[in-house]
Amino acid sequence: MTGLPLIALVGNPNAGKSALFNALTGARQKLGNYPGVTVERKAGRFSLSDGRPIELVDLPGTYSLNPASPDEQVTRDVILGKQAGERLPDALVVVVDASNLDNHLRFALELIALGLPTIVALNMVDLATRDGLELDANILSRELGVPVISTVAVRKRGLDHLRSELESMLDGGAGRVRPTGEQPDFEGLRKEARRIARAAVVRETPSRRMTAAVDRVLLHPVAGFLILLALLFVMFQAVFSWAAAPADLLEGWVTALGETITATLPPGVVHDFLLQGVIGGVGAVVVFLPQILILFFFILMLEATGYMARAAFLMDALMARVGLSGRAFIPLLSSFACAVPGIMATRTISDPKDRLTTILIAPLMTCSARLPVYGLIIAAFIPARSVGPGIGLQGLVLFLLYVSGIVGAMIAAWALRLTVTKGQSGGFLMEMPKYQWPRPQDIAIGLWQRAVIFLKRAGTIILLTNIILWVLASFPQAPAGVRQSEYSIAGRIAGGIHLLVEPIGFNRDISLALLPSMAAREVAVSAIATVYAIDAGDDEDALNRTLGERLQGRWSLATALAFLAWFVFAPQCISTIAVTRRETNGWKWPMFMMGYLFVLAYAAAGITYWAAVAAGLG
Amino acid sequence: MRLTDLPLRQPAYVDLIDWNALSASDGQRLREFGLCEGASVEALHHGGLLGRGPIACKVGRMTVAMRRSHAAAITVRTGPQEEDA
Ligand SMILES: Nc1nc2c(ncn2[C@@H]2O[C@H](COP(=O)(O)OP(=O)(O)O)[C@@H](O)[C@H]2O)c(=O)[nH]1
Ligand SMILES: [Mg+2]
């Protein structure tokens, strides 16, 4: 803990706290956790104009000091100085949305009454102006008794003014309202907020209501729903078609790197290890970076534009059928990128059973780590044919895999709601933010962070698992005429697993990949790549064939399809299990989750295999 | 009339809210969204393919989505009233 003055950003959700936080602290941010609770602590540093350093925390948004979710509880406790691991802030910056003053001022009044030194940031004045609303910050300041600064967080407007005001406040003086001791009641605060908001309006022309006009289309019961489906469909098509060129480029680099190693190192164990264990394995995963970034691009865009809340609205009726609320749609859609942030996003769901059900089905949403697996199998076994204008067969199959995950999740939710998470559903109440054009910088930063996380995974967990696998698969050396992948230690372990999965059509290659890919799903691809590289040995022809071509020679279509079906359901990801344990405070639910998902995966792969064999694809 | 029956895009204001029909937390959230007797409301969209989904309405300057069960607890009167509750 530092001895710097601590300033907390507080306010309603969507007031622009995080935007202001980013604008003030830039890259100097640190993510952490509050002890005992799973709420993220987001802190950063910035300097006042005289160079004095300040620590700033971005608190979760809340509508009042009456918490309805674990996130909101933390905000309350920090402000009251009751939160473990946080000192009482030296000052508050209350962020209010200028275009929704009535509502935000009520909470601001509640906060000001606490008696901490306070500054109000009258944020989003640009949007208020767009809506035909002109406000006088001086009147507001007089009425509230604390300094009020107009800001546009995303354009960094008003920040200098905010800094200098903070400076004089910390030097003593302005901004503190003597607490009256009595906590004003809700009604009283509301009326007072209204009165002040009215007084501060200089001019109000009927707003142009761009958001309402767009909503007429996007929230239309039929058109809106079709647009949502179309958006998701385009997203999955794009993952394949846009990624082709950059993926080829990456593939070229990986191959070139391998050739350099062959050219510079003498043949032997080191050479084989680097070529087969490192380049062969990790390289096979890294080439999927473009696809993963395209997927994240869509999800970041949907969030930043304000569309995500609309998707929740459209989905609520359907989600209600299986005992969930539309709110669950947001963490579930994020889980398409990765279940870990998706499961963490369930914290905004206040009903505990709604939340638990959402956590349990989140791994069924097809996360980006499955893309390398799907991508490899689809590219190898599904012809790149067009089945209609703008619809490729490969993209269609990918779409169907996603749909299977969604349908599976809905059925699972329904069953869970009737059994282990039985009870009254929590309902759906949510604010719909205004539409916004996302700022390219924000999207770029988001993509950059994702790329770094993915490459770190490739460089750590995937690399490590792969090295272990390479060792186990390389020794002991097979005598001539026997396949190395069957003779080695790994091959013998795989032989045992094979007995279990043979009925659902899995061959020995798959059996070998299943165990290491418990660490992370992508490892399935790198593991298969490594094993084939070892089997190929110094055989030039075999080495020159792509992984896909080698698969075609060794797997039947029925096996490939069963493998895909397995990955729709199987809970193969250590990080997901760990985050579930953290969010549910124990091992009970992560164990339950693994159990039911493995059963589903086995059944799905089996049914797919037997159906495909019956259809003559075996 | 109830908010569930209010025609779309017809300005109205809240006459009465049956707080007892709402759970304590839902009631509080609605209050925090600015719903109270006298508040101006306008139904904007009905969700769900058969109109059984949630309702999006404008409350003051905010757009809020709620289930029909919530909306059924809210009685409204049409017409723009210069509310001053
Ligand atoms: N036009 C405009 N948009 C803003 C401003 N401040 C924040 N936003 C946007 O409003 C949305 C919500 O902001 P965010 O910082 O996430 O709100 P928080 O929930 O309070 O942290 C984001 O899309 C921001 O980019 C502003 O001053 N003007
Ligand atoms: Mg935020």
Side-chain angles (χ1 to χ4, degrees), chain A residues 238-253 287 289-291 294:
Chain A
V239 163
F240 261 82
S241 47
W242 299 2
D248 285 348
L249 194 68
L250 277 176
E251 182 121 43
W253 291 350
V287 296
L289 181 64
Q291 297 197 334
I294 290 169

Side-chain angles (χ1 to χ4, degrees), chain A residues 12-19 21 42 58-61:
Chain A
N12 289 35
N14 298 313
K17 295 177 296 301
S18 301
F21 179 82
K42 205 170 153 205
D58 181 18
L59 295 175

Side-chain angles (χ1 to χ4, degrees), chain A residues 341-407:
Chain A
I343 287 173
M344 294 204 293
T346 61
R347 289 172 192 160
T348 57
I349 301 175
S350 49
D351 184 78
K353 283 186 175 152
D354 272 11
R355 175 158 182 254
L356 179 59
T357 316
T358 311
I359 290 176
L360 289 175
I361 64 170
L364 286 171
M365 300 294 121
T366 302
C367 68
S368 52
R370 285 168 173 104
L371 272 178
V373 182
Y374 289 177
L376 174 69
I377 305 294
I378 290 177
F381 290 93
I382 309 293
R385 266 197 290 121
S386 168
V387 287
I391 305 173
L393 184 60
Q394 294 186 332
L396 186 67
V397 170
L398 184 69
F399 184 68
L400 288 179
L401 288 169
Y402 276 84
V403 170
S404 321
I406 297 169
V407 172

Side-chain angles (χ1 to χ4, degrees), chain A residues 254-482:
Chain A
V254 170
T255 313
L257 195 60
E259 280 161 3
T260 315
I261 288 178
T262 309
T264 48
L265 287 178
V269 175
V270 178
H271 165 270
D272 288 355
F273 168 73
L274 284 179
L275 198 64
Q276 301 161 350
V278 180
I279 310 277
V282 176
V285 171
V286 167
V287 296
F288 289 95
L289 181 64
Q291 297 197 334
I292 285 165
L293 290 185
I294 290 169
L295 187 67
F296 270 108
F297 169 76
F298 275 91
I299 291 191
L300 288 169
M301 288 291 285
L302 293 183
E303 259 173 11
T305 50
Y307 184 76
M308 226 36 145
R310 273 70 189 184
F313 179 85
L314 290 168
M315 293 304 291
D316 183 62
L318 274 178
M319 305 286 276
R321 294 254 168 113
V322 297
L324 289 175
S325 88
R327 213 175 243 284
F329 187 71
I330 298 173
L332 292 179
L333 195 61
S334 312
S335 299
F336 280 126
C338 175
V340 173
I343 287 173
M344 294 204 293
T346 61
R347 289 172 192 160
T348 57
I349 301 175
S350 49
D351 184 78
K353 283 186 175 152
D354 272 11
R355 175 158 182 254
L356 179 59
T357 316
T358 311
I359 290 176
L360 289 175
I361 64 170
L364 286 171
M365 300 294 121
T366 302
C367 68
S368 52
R370 285 168 173 104
L371 272 178
V373 182
Y374 289 177
L376 174 69
I377 305 294
I378 290 177
F381 290 93
I382 309 293
R385 266 197 290 121
S386 168
V387 287
I391 305 173
L393 184 60
Q394 294 186 332
L396 186 67
V397 170
L398 184 69
F399 184 68
L400 288 179
L401 288 169
Y402 276 84
V403 170
S404 321
I406 297 169
V407 172
M410 293 302 111
I411 295 173
W414 173 78
L416 291 170
R417 274 313 220 157
L418 290 179
T419 53
V420 291
T421 57
K422 195 157 58 189
Q424 185 74 37
S425 167
F428 175 67
L429 271 174
M430 143 171 225
E431 181 186 346
M432 308 255 133
K434 292 186 200 66
Y435 287 112
Q436 286 253 27
W437 275 118
R439 291 193 326 147
Q441 298 98 299
D442 288 347
I443 303 289
I445 290 173
L447 285 179
W448 170 250
Q449 288 171 338
R450 296 304 157 182
V452 169
I453 291 173
F454 175 75
L455 292 176
K456 262 195 190 153
R457 254 164 87 86
T460 54
I461 192 167
I462 296 175
L463 176 63
L464 192 71
T465 323
N466 233 63
I467 290 174
I468 297 173
L469 178 74
W470 180 83
V471 172
L472 293 181
S474 298
F475 303 100
Q477 298 245 298
V482 179

